[in-house]
Amino acid sequence: MMKIFIPVVLLILLVSWTYLNIGKQDGNWIALWNGKDLTGWHTFLGTPYQSKEDDTGNKIIPFGVDHDPLQVIKVVDTDQGKAIRISGVAWGMIYTEKIFQNYHLKLKVKWGEDMHIPRENGPRDSGLLYHGNGEPGSELAYPWMNSQELQIQQGDMGDYWPVGDTEIDIPSVRFKDNYFIYKENADLRTYYLATILKKAVHDSLAKRRVFKALDAEKKYGKWNEIELITMGDSSIHIVNGKVVMRLFNSRKMSNKEPLKSGRIMIQSEGAEVFYKDFYLKNITEIPVEFKK
């Protein structure tokens, strides 16, 4: 009996150890995605192609939470293992169940081929949203969630956009067409969800968008590594190992309350895109290699 008992105990311990370490990388990195299914994440999707009415004039109801009949977001096989494919047919997002604060996040992203109405002519678009708060699909942030955005758009990886009830301060200087570009140690300028004025579209958008400092994106068809560091109300956007923007004083636009935590989201925004290798590490200070 003893000879049988010992192997059984060892097997139980081995299985337990394996279970406890599923999703962990070296160090304190923890996998946000299990590489198999969407456990730990939810979806919120609007209407296909951003359409509001069908051919007969009837209102189209958004798909909503965890309802994805068109399989806009699903796990697929790629030449480098499993990945989350986002078709972009319906605009929306995948978002974490948990709320995160003070972390170093990294993931890999690669563009697919398909592009859809109303962005069928590009550029291919998606986005990493962070500090997500409020209900998904709220009026101000529809079809996403109030959050800060690390832009993932072809040619523009690392830019900043506010989503919903948020604003932030970024050192930046005038660039082109009234837009501003990130420049370290420049004067801080506040960016927020400004109302788009028909007679001053570029000026209105320039209150929202900040161009990244440099283009570190790999050519089409290659996997890009995106990193995000959040510490308190500050954050850092990193593309393929290069810091492209530092952001400060994250807060809600409505009441100026500091915004230091929230859900992590990935956008579906009209383009086919693949994501994989989501890893997160809780931190107490900015990693040495990314300090000024």
Side-chain angles (χ1 to χ4, degrees):
M1 289 294 291
M2 184 60 69
K3 290 181 180 180
I4 297 174
F5 178 74
I6 291 175
V8 170
V9 170
L10 290 176
L11 179 61
I12 291 172
L13 290 174
L14 178 60
V15 171
S16 298
W17 182 88
T18 303
Y19 176 78
L20 291 172
N21 284 274
I22 284 175
K24 290 195 176 181
Q25 207 185 29
D26 51 350
N28 296 316
W29 290 99
I30 299 172
L32 281 189
W33 177 51
N34 64 18
K36 299 182 298 183
D37 54 36
L38 299 180
T39 299
W41 296 76
H42 294 287
T43 63
F44 180 90
L45 295 169
T47 60
Y49 309 111
Q50 291 287 78
S51 302
K52 295 182 179 180
E53 296 179 347
D54 61 21
D55 294 338
T56 61
N58 293 319
K59 183 178 179 180
I60 300 176
I61 305 300
F63 291 136
V65 176
D66 292 336
H67 179 50
D68 186 4
L70 298 181
Q71 292 190 299
V72 175
I73 301 171
K74 66 177 183 178
V75 178
V76 299
D77 290 307
T78 73
D79 56 355
Q80 293 193 16
K82 296 284 188 181
I84 298 173
R85 176 186 181 264
I86 300 177
S87 73
V89 168
W91 286 23
M93 62 179 172
I94 179 174
Y95 62 97
T96 60
E97 288 182 354
K98 293 183 179 180
I99 290 173
F100 298 93
Q101 179 177 6
N102 294 338
Y103 57 84
H104 184 176
L105 170 70
K106 57 184 179 181
L107 57 85
K108 291 181 180 178
V109 57
K110 181 177 75 169
W111 298 113
E113 296 183 2
D114 299 341
M115 293 186 288
H116 306 285
I117 298 170
R119 299 292 295 276
E120 68 272 27
N121 296 317
R124 293 178 173 85
D125 199 2
S126 182
L128 167 60
L129 309 183
Y130 57 100
H131 296 342
N133 64 93
E135 294 299 316
S138 64
E139 182 177 356
L140 194 59
Y142 186 82
W144 302 299
M145 191 182 296
N146 298 322
S147 54
Q148 311 290 11
E149 178 176 356
L150 187 165
Q151 171 71 295
I152 297 177
Q153 179 172 277
Q154 193 170 14
D156 299 309
M157 286 189 180
D159 285 5
Y160 168 78
W161 289 87
V163 179
D165 184 23
T166 59
E167 61 184 29
I168 207 162
D169 299 330
I170 302 173
S172 45
V173 295
R174 191 171 294 278
F175 183 41
K176 61 181 179 180
D177 296 330
N178 292 330
Y179 287 100
F180 282 70
I181 188 170
Y182 170 79
K183 184 177 181 180
E184 190 169 320
N185 298 323
D187 291 340
L188 292 177
R189 186 171 186 264
T190 299
Y191 295 88
Y192 61 97
L193 195 71
T195 301
I196 304 299
L197 304 176
K198 291 183 179 180
K199 294 183 178 180
V201 173
H202 284 301
D203 184 61
S204 301
L205 290 175
K207 294 179 172 64
R208 299 183 177 192
R209 179 182 188 177
V210 185
F211 284 83
K212 81 282 189 197
L214 55 96
D215 183 9
E217 183 177 347
K218 295 180 181 179
K219 65 180 183 179
Y220 175 81
K222 300 291 185 180
W223 288 98
N224 292 273
E225 183 167 83
I226 303 297
E227 296 178 75
L228 168 68
I229 294 172
T230 73
M231 175 55 58
D233 59 6
S234 298
S235 55
I236 305 174
H237 294 183
I238 304 161
V239 179
N240 293 315
K242 296 182 179 181
V243 173
V244 298
M245 190 175 298
R246 297 179 189 270
L247 308 89
F248 304 92
N249 307 317
S250 170
R251 58 193 181 270
K252 295 182 179 180
M253 182 175 62
S254 57
N255 59 12
K256 312 306 177 185
E257 177 186 343
L259 187 56
K260 303 178 182 181
S261 64
R263 290 179 170 81
I264 295 168
M265 295 152 281
I266 299 293
Q267 290 177 311
S268 173
E269 201 168 1
E272 181 184 32
V273 61
F274 299 87
Y275 287 90
K276 71 187 193 77
D277 297 350
F278 291 78
Y279 291 101
L280 181 144
K281 178 189 287 188
N282 293 310
I283 59 175
T284 56
E285 62 179 354
I286 295 174
V288 174
E289 62 270 34
F290 295 116
K291 287 184 177 179
K292 289 186 178 181

Coordinates of all heavy atoms in Angstrom, one line a residue, residues 62-145:
P62 N -27.7 46.7 -30.7 CA -26.3 46.2 -30.5 C -26.3 44.8 -29.9 O -27.2 44.4 -29.1 CB -25.8 47.3 -29.5 CG -26.6 48.5 -29.7 CD -28.0 47.9 -30.0
F63 N -25.2 44.1 -30.1 CA -25.1 42.7 -29.6 C -25.0 42.8 -28.1 O -25.5 41.9 -27.4 CB -23.9 42.0 -30.2 CG -24.0 41.7 -31.6 CD1 -23.0 41.9 -32.5 CD2 -25.2 41.1 -32.1 CE1 -23.1 41.5 -33.9 CE2 -25.3 40.8 -33.4 CZ -24.3 41.0 -34.3
G64 N -24.3 43.7 -27.5 CA -24.1 43.9 -26.1 C -23.1 43.0 -25.5 O -22.1 42.6 -26.1
V65 N -23.3 42.7 -24.2 CA -22.3 41.9 -23.4 C -22.3 40.4 -23.7 O -23.4 39.8 -23.6 CB -22.4 42.2 -21.9 CG1 -21.5 41.4 -21.1 CG2 -22.3 43.7 -21.6
D66 N -21.2 39.9 -24.0 CA -21.0 38.4 -24.1 C -22.0 37.8 -25.1 O -22.5 36.7 -24.9 CB -21.1 37.7 -22.8 CG -19.9 38.1 -21.9 OD1 -18.8 38.4 -22.4 OD2 -20.0 38.0 -20.7
H67 N -22.4 38.6 -26.2 CA -23.2 38.0 -27.2 C -22.6 38.3 -28.5 O -22.5 39.5 -29.0 CB -24.6 38.7 -27.1 CG -25.6 38.2 -28.2 ND1 -25.8 36.9 -28.5 CD2 -26.3 38.9 -29.1 CE1 -26.7 36.8 -29.4 NE2 -27.0 38.0 -29.8
D68 N -22.0 37.3 -29.2 CA -21.2 37.5 -30.4 C -21.6 36.5 -31.4 O -20.8 35.6 -31.8 CB -19.7 37.3 -29.9 CG -18.8 37.7 -31.1 OD1 -19.2 38.1 -32.2 OD2 -17.5 37.5 -30.9
P69 N -22.8 36.6 -32.0 CA -23.2 35.6 -33.0 C -22.4 35.5 -34.3 O -22.4 34.5 -35.0 CB -24.7 36.0 -33.3 CG -24.7 37.4 -33.0 CD -23.8 37.6 -31.8
L70 N -21.7 36.6 -34.6 CA -20.8 36.7 -35.8 C -19.4 36.3 -35.5 O -18.6 36.3 -36.4 CB -20.9 38.1 -36.4 CG -22.2 38.6 -36.8 CD1 -22.1 40.0 -37.5 CD2 -22.8 37.7 -37.9
Q71 N -19.1 35.9 -34.3 CA -17.8 35.5 -33.9 C -16.8 36.5 -34.2 O -15.7 36.3 -34.9 CB -17.4 34.1 -34.5 CG -18.2 32.9 -33.9 CD -17.6 31.6 -34.3 OE1 -17.6 31.3 -35.5 NE2 -17.2 30.8 -33.4
V72 N -17.1 37.7 -33.9 CA -16.2 38.9 -34.1 C -14.9 38.7 -33.3 O -13.8 39.0 -33.8 CB -16.8 40.2 -33.7 CG1 -15.9 41.4 -33.8 CG2 -18.1 40.5 -34.5
I73 N -15.0 38.1 -32.1 CA -13.8 37.9 -31.3 C -13.8 36.4 -31.0 O -14.7 35.8 -30.3 CB -13.9 38.7 -30.0 CG1 -14.0 40.2 -30.3 CG2 -12.7 38.4 -29.1 CD1 -14.3 41.1 -29.2
K74 N -12.7 35.7 -31.4 CA -12.6 34.3 -31.1 C -11.1 33.9 -31.1 O -10.2 34.6 -31.6 CB -13.3 33.5 -32.1 CG -12.8 33.5 -33.5 CD -13.5 32.6 -34.5 CE -13.0 32.6 -35.9 NZ -13.7 31.7 -36.8
V75 N -10.8 32.7 -30.5 CA -9.5 32.2 -30.4 C -9.2 31.4 -31.7 O -10.0 30.5 -32.1 CB -9.3 31.3 -29.2 CG1 -7.9 30.7 -29.1 CG2 -9.5 32.2 -27.9
V76 N -8.0 31.6 -32.3 CA -7.7 30.9 -33.6 C -6.2 30.4 -33.5 O -5.5 30.8 -32.6 CB -7.9 31.8 -34.8 CG1 -9.3 32.3 -34.9 CG2 -6.9 33.0 -34.7
D77 N -5.9 29.5 -34.4 CA -4.5 29.1 -34.6 C -3.8 30.0 -35.6 O -4.4 30.4 -36.6 CB -4.5 27.7 -35.1 CG -4.9 26.7 -34.1 OD1 -4.4 26.7 -33.0 OD2 -5.8 25.9 -34.4
T78 N -2.6 30.4 -35.3 CA -1.7 31.2 -36.2 C -0.4 30.4 -36.4 O -0.2 29.4 -35.8 CB -1.4 32.6 -35.6 OG1 -0.5 32.5 -34.6 CG2 -2.7 33.3 -35.1
D79 N 0.4 31.0 -37.2 CA 1.7 30.4 -37.5 C 2.6 30.4 -36.3 O 3.7 29.8 -36.2 CB 2.4 31.0 -38.7 CG 2.6 32.5 -38.5 OD1 2.1 33.1 -37.5 OD2 3.3 33.2 -39.4
Q80 N 2.2 31.2 -35.2 CA 3.0 31.3 -34.0 C 2.1 30.9 -32.8 O 2.2 31.6 -31.7 CB 3.7 32.6 -33.8 CG 4.7 32.9 -34.9 CD 5.6 34.1 -34.5 OE1 5.6 34.6 -33.4 NE2 6.3 34.6 -35.5
G81 N 1.2 30.0 -32.9 CA 0.4 29.5 -31.8 C -0.9 30.2 -31.8 O -1.4 30.9 -32.7
K82 N -1.6 29.9 -30.7 CA -3.0 30.5 -30.5 C -2.9 32.0 -30.3 O -2.0 32.6 -29.8 CB -3.6 29.9 -29.2 CG -3.8 28.4 -29.3 CD -5.0 28.0 -30.1 CE -5.3 26.5 -30.0 NZ -6.5 26.1 -30.8
A83 N -4.0 32.6 -30.8 CA -4.1 34.1 -30.7 C -5.6 34.4 -30.7 O -6.5 33.6 -31.0 CB -3.5 34.8 -31.9
I84 N -5.9 35.6 -30.2 CA -7.3 36.1 -30.2 C -7.4 36.9 -31.5 O -6.7 37.9 -31.8 CB -7.6 37.1 -29.0 CG1 -7.4 36.3 -27.7 CG2 -9.0 37.7 -29.1 CD1 -7.5 37.2 -26.5
R85 N -8.4 36.5 -32.4 CA -8.6 37.2 -33.6 C -9.8 38.1 -33.4 O -10.9 37.7 -32.9 CB -9.0 36.2 -34.7 CG -9.4 36.9 -36.0 CD -9.8 35.9 -37.1 NE -10.2 36.5 -38.3 CZ -11.5 36.8 -38.7 NH1 -12.5 36.6 -37.8 NH2 -11.7 37.4 -39.9
I86 N -9.7 39.3 -33.8 CA -10.8 40.3 -33.8 C -11.0 40.7 -35.2 O -10.2 41.2 -35.9 CB -10.4 41.5 -32.9 CG1 -10.1 41.1 -31.5 CG2 -11.5 42.6 -33.0 CD1 -9.6 42.3 -30.6
S87 N -12.2 40.4 -35.7 CA -12.5 40.6 -37.1 C -12.8 42.1 -37.4 O -12.5 42.5 -38.5 CB -13.7 39.8 -37.6 OG -14.9 40.4 -37.0
G88 N -13.3 42.8 -36.5 CA -13.6 44.2 -36.7 C -14.9 44.5 -37.3 O -15.3 45.6 -37.6
V89 N -15.7 43.4 -37.6 CA -17.0 43.6 -38.3 C -18.0 44.4 -37.5 O -18.7 45.3 -38.0 CB -17.6 42.2 -38.6 CG1 -19.1 42.3 -39.0 CG2 -16.9 41.5 -39.7
A90 N -18.0 44.2 -36.2 CA -18.8 45.1 -35.3 C -17.8 45.8 -34.4 O -16.9 45.1 -33.8 CB -19.7 44.2 -34.5
W91 N -18.0 47.1 -34.2 CA -17.1 47.8 -33.2 C -17.5 47.4 -31.8 O -18.6 47.3 -31.5 CB -17.2 49.3 -33.5 CG -16.6 49.7 -34.8 CD1 -16.3 49.0 -35.8 CD2 -16.1 51.0 -35.1 NE1 -15.7 49.7 -36.8 CE2 -15.6 51.0 -36.4 CE3 -16.1 52.2 -34.4 CZ2 -15.0 52.1 -37.0 CZ3 -15.6 53.4 -35.0 CH2 -15.0 53.3 -36.3
G92 N -16.5 47.3 -31.0 CA -16.7 47.0 -29.6 C -15.4 46.7 -28.9 O -14.3 47.3 -29.2
M93 N -15.4 45.7 -28.0 CA -14.1 45.4 -27.3 C -14.2 44.1 -26.6 O -15.3 43.5 -26.4 CB -13.9 46.5 -26.2 CG -15.1 46.6 -25.2 SD -14.8 47.8 -23.9 CE -16.4 47.8 -23.1
I94 N -13.1 43.6 -26.1 CA -12.9 42.6 -25.2 C -12.3 43.2 -23.9 O -11.4 44.0 -24.1 CB -12.0 41.4 -25.7 CG1 -11.9 40.3 -24.7 CG2 -10.7 41.9 -26.3 CD1 -11.1 39.1 -25.2
Y95 N -12.8 42.9 -22.7 CA -12.3 43.5 -21.5 C -12.1 42.6 -20.4 O -12.8 41.6 -20.3 CB -13.2 44.7 -21.2 CG -14.6 44.4 -20.8 CD1 -15.0 44.2 -19.5 CD2 -15.6 44.2 -21.8 CE1 -16.3 44.0 -19.2 CE2 -16.9 44.0 -21.5 CZ -17.3 43.8 -20.2 OH -18.6 43.5 -19.9
T96 N -11.2 42.9 -19.5 CA -10.9 42.0 -18.3 C -12.0 42.1 -17.3 O -12.6 43.1 -17.1 CB -9.6 42.4 -17.7 OG1 -9.6 43.7 -17.2 CG2 -8.4 42.2 -18.6
E97 N -12.2 40.9 -16.6 CA -13.1 40.9 -15.5 C -12.5 41.7 -14.3 O -13.3 42.4 -13.6 CB -13.4 39.5 -15.0 CG -14.2 38.6 -15.9 CD -14.5 37.2 -15.3 OE1 -13.8 36.9 -14.3 OE2 -15.2 36.5 -15.9
K98 N -11.2 41.6 -14.1 CA -10.6 42.2 -13.0 C -10.2 43.7 -13.3 O -10.0 44.1 -14.4 CB -9.4 41.4 -12.6 CG -9.7 40.0 -12.1 CD -8.4 39.3 -11.6 CE -8.7 37.9 -11.1 NZ -7.5 37.2 -10.7
I99 N -10.0 44.4 -12.2 CA -9.5 45.8 -12.2 C -8.0 45.7 -11.8 O -7.6 45.0 -10.9 CB -10.3 46.7 -11.3 CG1 -11.7 46.9 -11.9 CG2 -9.6 48.0 -11.1 CD1 -12.6 47.6 -10.9
F100 N -7.2 46.5 -12.6 CA -5.7 46.5 -12.3 C -5.2 47.9 -12.0 O -5.7 48.9 -12.5 CB -5.0 45.9 -13.5 CG -5.4 44.5 -13.8 CD1 -6.4 44.2 -14.7 CD2 -4.7 43.5 -13.2 CE1 -6.7 42.9 -15.0 CE2 -5.1 42.1 -13.4 CZ -6.1 41.9 -14.4
Q101 N -4.2 48.0 -11.2 CA -3.5 49.2 -10.8 C -2.0 49.0 -10.7 O -1.6 48.0 -10.2 CB -4.1 49.8 -9.5 CG -3.5 51.1 -9.1 CD -4.2 51.7 -7.8 OE1 -5.1 51.0 -7.3 NE2 -3.9 52.9 -7.4
N102 N -1.2 50.0 -11.1 CA 0.2 49.9 -10.9 C 0.8 48.6 -11.5 O 1.1 47.7 -10.8 CB 0.6 50.0 -9.4 CG 0.3 51.4 -8.9 OD1 0.1 52.4 -9.6 ND2 0.2 51.5 -7.5
Y103 N 1.0 48.6 -12.8 CA 1.4 47.4 -13.5 C 2.2 47.7 -14.7 O 2.2 48.8 -15.3 CB 0.2 46.5 -13.9 CG -0.8 47.2 -14.8 CD1 -0.7 47.3 -16.1 CD2 -2.0 47.9 -14.2 CE1 -1.6 47.9 -17.0 CE2 -2.9 48.5 -15.0 CZ -2.7 48.5 -16.4 OH -3.6 49.2 -17.2
H104 N 2.9 46.6 -15.2 CA 3.6 46.6 -16.4 C 3.0 45.5 -17.3 O 3.0 44.4 -16.9 CB 5.1 46.3 -16.2 CG 6.0 46.3 -17.4 ND1 7.3 46.1 -17.3 CD2 5.7 46.5 -18.7 CE1 7.8 46.2 -18.6 NE2 6.9 46.5 -19.4
L105 N 2.4 46.0 -18.4 CA 1.6 45.0 -19.2 C 2.4 44.9 -20.6 O 2.9 45.9 -21.1 CB 0.2 45.6 -19.5 CG -0.6 44.9 -20.6 CD1 -1.0 43.5 -20.2 CD2 -1.8 45.8 -21.0
K106 N 2.4 43.7 -21.1 CA 3.0 43.6 -22.5 C 2.1 42.5 -23.2 O 1.6 41.6 -22.7 CB 4.4 43.2 -22.5 CG 4.8 41.9 -21.7 CD 6.3 41.8 -21.7 CE 6.8 40.6 -21.0 NZ 8.3 40.5 -21.0
L107 N 2.0 42.8 -24.5 CA 1.3 41.9 -25.4 C 1.8 42.0 -26.8 O 2.7 42.9 -27.1 CB -0.2 42.2 -25.4 CG -0.6 43.7 -25.8 CD1 -0.7 43.9 -27.3 CD2 -1.8 44.1 -25.1
K108 N 1.4 41.1 -27.7 CA 1.9 41.1 -29.1 C 0.6 41.3 -30.0 O -0.4 40.7 -29.7 CB 2.6 39.9 -29.4 CG 4.0 39.8 -28.7 CD 4.7 38.5 -29.1 CE 6.1 38.5 -28.4 NZ 6.8 37.2 -28.7
V109 N 0.8 42.0 -31.1 CA -0.3 42.3 -32.0 C 0.2 42.3 -33.4 O 1.4 42.7 -33.7 CB -0.9 43.7 -31.7 CG1 0.2 44.8 -31.7 CG2 -2.0 44.0 -32.6
K110 N -0.6 41.8 -34.3 CA -0.3 41.7 -35.7 C -1.6 42.0 -36.5 O -2.7 41.5 -36.2 CB 0.3 40.3 -36.1 CG 0.7 40.2 -37.6 CD 1.3 38.8 -37.9 CE 0.3 37.7 -37.9 NZ 0.8 36.4 -38.4
W111 N -1.4 42.7 -37.6 CA -2.6 43.0 -38.5 C -3.0 41.9 -39.4 O -2.1 41.1 -39.9 CB -2.3 44.2 -39.4 CG -2.0 45.5 -38.6 CD1 -0.8 46.2 -38.6 CD2 -2.9 46.2 -37.8 NE1 -1.0 47.3 -37.7 CE2 -2.3 47.3 -37.3 CE3 -4.3 46.0 -37.5 CZ2 -2.9 48.3 -36.4 CZ3 -4.9 46.9 -36.6 CH2 -4.2 48.0 -36.1
G112 N -4.3 41.7 -39.5 CA -4.8 40.8 -40.5 C -5.0 41.5 -41.9 O -4.5 42.6 -42.1
E113 N -5.8 40.9 -42.7 CA -6.1 41.4 -44.1 C -7.4 42.2 -44.2 O -7.4 43.2 -44.8 CB -6.0 40.3 -45.1 CG -4.7 39.6 -45.2 CD -4.7 38.5 -46.3 OE1 -5.8 38.4 -47.0 OE2 -3.7 37.9 -46.5
D114 N -8.4 41.7 -43.5 CA -9.8 42.2 -43.7 C -10.0 43.6 -43.1 O -9.5 43.9 -42.0 CB -10.8 41.3 -43.1 CG -10.8 39.9 -43.7 OD1 -10.2 39.8 -44.8 OD2 -11.3 39.0 -43.1
M115 N -10.7 44.5 -43.9 CA -11.1 45.8 -43.4 C -12.6 46.0 -43.8 O -13.0 45.5 -44.8 CB -10.3 46.9 -44.0 CG -8.8 46.9 -43.6 SD -7.8 48.3 -44.2 CE -7.7 47.9 -45.9
H116 N -13.3 46.6 -42.9 CA -14.8 46.6 -43.0 C -15.3 48.1 -43.0 O -14.7 49.0 -42.4 CB -15.4 45.8 -41.9 CG -14.8 44.4 -41.8 ND1 -15.2 43.4 -42.7 CD2 -14.0 43.9 -40.9 CE1 -14.5 42.3 -42.4 NE2 -13.8 42.6 -41.3
I117 N -16.5 48.2 -43.6 CA -17.3 49.5 -43.5 C -17.4 49.8 -42.0 O -17.8 49.0 -41.2 CB -18.7 49.3 -44.1 CG1 -18.5 48.9 -45.6 CG2 -19.5 50.5 -44.0 CD1 -19.8 48.5 -46.3
P118 N -17.3 51.1 -41.6 CA -17.0 52.3 -42.4 C -15.5 52.6 -42.6 O -15.1 53.7 -42.9 CB -17.7 53.4 -41.7 CG -17.5 53.0 -40.2 CD -17.6 51.5 -40.2
R119 N -14.6 51.6 -42.3 CA -13.2 51.9 -42.3 C -12.5 50.9 -43.4 O -11.4 50.5 -43.3 CB -12.5 51.6 -41.0 CG -13.1 52.5 -39.9 CD -12.6 54.0 -40.1 NE -11.2 54.1 -40.0 CZ -10.5 54.3 -38.8 NH1 -11.2 54.3 -37.7 NH2 -9.2 54.4 -38.8
E120 N -13.3 50.6 -44.4 CA -12.8 49.7 -45.4 C -11.6 50.2 -46.2 O -10.9 49.4 -46.8 CB -13.9 49.3 -46.4 CG -14.4 50.4 -47.3 CD -15.5 51.3 -46.8 OE1 -15.6 51.4 -45.5 OE2 -16.2 51.9 -47.6
N121 N -11.3 51.5 -46.2 CA -10.2 52.0 -46.9 C -9.0 52.3 -45.9 O -8.0 52.9 -46.3 CB -10.6 53.3 -47.6 CG -11.6 53.0 -48.7 OD1 -11.4 52.1 -49.5 ND2 -12.6 53.9 -48.8
G122 N -9.2 51.9 -44.7 CA -8.1 52.0 -43.7 C -8.0 53.4 -43.1 O -8.9 54.3 -43.4
P123 N -7.0 53.7 -42.3 CA -6.0 52.7 -41.9 C -6.6 51.6 -40.9 O -7.6 51.9 -40.3 CB -4.9 53.5 -41.2 CG -5.7 54.7 -40.6 CD -6.8 55.0 -41.6
R124 N -5.9 50.5 -40.8 CA -6.3 49.4 -39.9 C -6.2 50.0 -38.5 O -5.2 50.6 -38.1 CB -5.4 48.2 -40.1 CG -5.6 47.5 -41.4 CD -4.7 46.3 -41.6 NE -5.0 45.5 -42.8 CZ -4.5 45.8 -44.0 NH1 -3.6 46.9 -44.1 NH2 -4.8 45.1 -45.0
D125 N -7.3 49.7 -37.7 CA -7.4 50.3 -36.4 C -7.8 49.3 -35.3 O -8.6 48.4 -35.6 CB -8.4 51.5 -36.5 CG -8.3 52.5 -35.4 OD1 -7.3 52.3 -34.5 OD2 -9.0 53.4 -35.3
S126 N -7.3 49.6 -34.1 CA -7.7 48.9 -32.9 C -7.2 49.8 -31.8 O -7.0 51.0 -32.0 CB -7.0 47.5 -32.9 OG -7.5 46.8 -31.7
G127 N -7.0 49.2 -30.6 CA -6.5 50.0 -29.5 C -6.4 49.3 -28.2 O -7.2 48.4 -28.0
L128 N -5.4 49.6 -27.4 CA -5.3 49.1 -26.0 C -5.9 50.2 -25.1 O -5.3 51.3 -25.0 CB -3.9 48.8 -25.7 CG -3.5 48.5 -24.3 CD1 -4.3 47.4 -23.7 CD2 -2.0 48.4 -24.1
L129 N -7.0 49.9 -24.4 CA -7.6 50.8 -23.5 C -7.3 50.4 -22.1 O -7.3 49.2 -21.8 CB -9.1 50.9 -23.7 CG -9.6 51.1 -25.1 CD1 -11.1 51.2 -25.1 CD2 -9.0 52.3 -25.8
Y130 N -7.0 51.4 -21.2 CA -6.7 51.1 -19.8 C -7.4 52.0 -18.9 O -7.9 53.1 -19.3 CB -5.2 51.1 -19.6 CG -4.4 52.3 -20.0 CD1 -4.0 53.2 -19.0 CD2 -4.0 52.6 -21.3 CE1 -3.3 54.4 -19.3 CE2 -3.3 53.7 -21.6 CZ -2.9 54.6 -20.7 OH -2.2 55.7 -21.0
H131 N -7.4 51.7 -17.6 CA -8.1 52.4 -16.6 C -9.6 52.5 -16.9 O -10.3 53.5 -16.7 CB -7.6 53.8 -16.4 CG -6.2 53.9 -15.8 ND1 -5.6 52.8 -15.2 CD2 -5.2 54.9 -15.8 CE1 -4.3 53.1 -14.9 NE2 -4.1 54.4 -15.2
G132 N -10.1 51.4 -17.5 CA -11.5 51.3 -17.9 C -12.5 51.4 -16.7 O -12.3 50.6 -15.8
N133 N -13.5 52.2 -16.7 CA -14.4 52.4 -15.6 C -15.8 52.7 -16.2 O -15.9 53.2 -17.3 CB -13.9 53.5 -14.7 CG -13.9 54.8 -15.3 OD1 -14.8 55.6 -15.2 ND2 -12.8 55.2 -15.9
G134 N -16.8 52.5 -15.3 CA -18.2 52.7 -15.8 C -18.7 51.5 -16.5 O -18.0 50.4 -16.6
E135 N -19.9 51.6 -17.1 CA -20.5 50.5 -17.8 C -20.0 50.4 -19.2 O -19.8 51.4 -19.9 CB -22.0 50.6 -17.8 CG -22.6 50.5 -16.4 CD -22.4 49.2 -15.8 OE1 -22.5 48.1 -16.5 OE2 -22.0 49.1 -14.6
P136 N -19.8 49.2 -19.8 CA -19.5 49.1 -21.2 C -20.6 49.6 -22.0 O -21.8 49.4 -21.8 CB -19.3 47.6 -21.4 CG -20.1 46.9 -20.3 CD -20.0 47.9 -19.1
G137 N -20.2 50.3 -23.1 CA -21.2 50.9 -24.0 C -22.0 52.1 -23.5 O -23.1 52.4 -24.0
S138 N -21.4 52.8 -22.5 CA -22.1 54.0 -22.0 C -22.2 55.0 -23.1 O -21.4 55.0 -24.1 CB -21.3 54.6 -20.8 OG -20.0 55.0 -21.2
E139 N -23.1 56.0 -23.0 CA -23.3 56.9 -24.1 C -22.1 57.7 -24.5 O -21.8 57.9 -25.7 CB -24.4 57.9 -23.7 CG -24.8 58.9 -24.7 CD -25.9 59.8 -24.3 OE1 -26.5 59.6 -23.2 OE2 -26.3 60.7 -25.1
L140 N -21.3 58.2 -23.5 CA -20.1 59.0 -23.8 C -19.0 58.2 -24.5 O -18.3 58.7 -25.3 CB -19.6 59.7 -22.6 CG -18.7 60.9 -22.7 CD1 -19.3 62.0 -23.6 CD2 -18.3 61.4 -21.4
A141 N -18.9 56.9 -24.0 CA -17.7 56.1 -24.5 C -18.1 55.0 -25.5 O -17.3 54.2 -25.9 CB -17.1 55.4 -23.3
Y142 N -19.4 55.0 -25.9 CA -19.9 53.9 -26.8 C -19.0 53.8 -28.0 O -18.6 54.8 -28.7 CB -21.3 54.2 -27.2 CG -22.0 53.1 -28.0 CD1 -22.5 52.0 -27.4 CD2 -22.0 53.2 -29.4 CE1 -23.1 51.0 -28.1 CE2 -22.5 52.1 -30.1 CZ -23.1 51.0 -29.5 OH -23.6 50.0 -30.2
P143 N -18.7 52.5 -28.4 CA -19.1 51.2 -27.9 C -18.0 50.6 -27.0 O -17.8 49.4 -27.0 CB -19.3 50.4 -29.1 CG -18.2 50.9 -30.1 CD -18.0 52.4 -29.8
W144 N -17.4 51.5 -26.2 CA -16.3 51.0 -25.3 C -16.6 51.3 -23.9 O -17.7 51.0 -23.4 CB -15.0 51.6 -25.8 CG -14.7 51.2 -27.2 CD1 -14.6 50.0 -27.8 CD2 -14.6 52.1 -28.4 NE1 -14.4 50.0 -29.1 CE2 -14.4 51.3 -29.5 CE3 -14.6 53.5 -28.5 CZ2 -14.2 51.9 -30.8 CZ3 -14.5 54.0 -29.8 CH2 -14.3 53.2 -30.9
M145 N -15.6 51.8 -23.1 CA -15.8 52.1 -21.7 C -14.9 53.4 -21.4 O -13.9 53.6 -22.1 CB -15.3 50.9 -20.9 CG -15.6 51.0 -19.4 SD -14.9 49.5 -18.6 CE -15.9 48.1 -19.3

